[in-house]
Amino acid sequence: MKVNRRTVLAGMGAAALAHGPLRAFALTSTQIGGYEFVSVSDGNLLLPRSFFFEGLPQEELAQVLAPFDLPQDQLAPPCNLTLLRNDDRVILFDAGAGPAFMPSAGSLSESLDAAGVAPEAVTDVVFTHGHPDHLWGVLDDFDDLVFPNARYHMGQVEWDYWRDPATVDTIGAARAAFAVGAARRLAAIPDRVAHFSDGDEVLPGIMAQASFGHTPGHMSFLLGSGSDAMMIGGDAIGNHHLAFARPGWASGSDQDPERGAETRQRLLDRLADEQIWLMGFHLPQGGLGRVERRGEGYRFVGAAR
């Protein structure tokens, strides 16, 4: 699989300029499983270090993180969406954050424009899970559908969880807004959604892979075969540092930390053993790369290196 990479400067408008300079959208593209693959940016998140590292053994943590030279105040993980297209379909995995989540995110429309894709051309939106940076971008500022001609696809377990009125009372105070926001957005698309389960072929050549833990019904997706296979991992492997170096450690970003760690270890083992490409939503260099074993854990090797 040959990877091409180009960078496009996209203007963000007055609101984005108030939060920083113009951002560069890196488009990493290749061919796989009969599709053209393009990584498109939705900007980045801004999160305190405690979100990732609170409650962990600090002395060992410092040693693990030393090679990564991470900021000491807050981290800014990128948001990489996967775009697949062929003659018949334009498929987007997740919908981005939209305008209501974080000022640093929500720039998907500019990235799609840079990739030559109009929102009306998107035929399918496939969700890994229902967190804000993956789902809230289905609606614009006026609560209209951003992708008006798309068919939507979400795992049955994940759909049932976010549509359950009890979720807002059981998810915890820190994530209650996630539940409210997800329910409102999913209420806009019930007649446009197809549901699937682990092992199902969601779309031609795209197989659903259960990766529960980050959310109750989080899904990853496998396409292609052999050394040209790609795993679209969503947030099952949520960063390029601790998730690889110590995959068995609990992560505060996972709703079920224990199950999330089990899933992460299983996926990394498979990706390393079978040399499957990984496309990670919050991984650097456009999110596309390989997994290599390293000491007690693994490392992410970006395709653009």
Side-chain angles (χ1 to χ4, degrees), residues 78-96:
C79 297
N80 311 298
L81 279 75
T82 299
L83 180 72
L84 299 180
R85 52 188 173 186
N86 59 20
D87 292 339
D88 300 317
R89 295 183 185 275
V90 177
I91 306 166
L92 191 62
F93 285 80
D94 295 320

Side-chain angles (χ1 to χ4, degrees), residues 87-162:
D87 292 339
D88 300 317
R89 295 183 185 275
V90 177
I91 306 166
L92 191 62
F93 285 80
D94 295 320
F101 184 48
M102 283 189 182
S104 59
S107 54
L108 178 60
S109 61
E110 288 84 358
S111 294
L112 289 176
D113 184 62
V117 175
E120 295 79 11
V122 174
T123 60
D124 300 89
V125 177
V126 183
F127 295 108
T128 60
H129 64 295
H131 279 169
D133 50 331
H134 298 256
L135 170 63
W136 285 16
V138 299
L139 298 179
D140 63 17
D141 285 319
F142 303 97
D143 282 351
D144 292 327
L145 289 175
V146 172
F147 309 105
N149 300 319
R151 180 77 167 160
Y152 298 86
H153 307 261
M154 179 176 274
Q156 187 70 63
V157 173
E158 190 75 354
W159 173 268
D160 291 344
Y161 176 75
W162 295 109

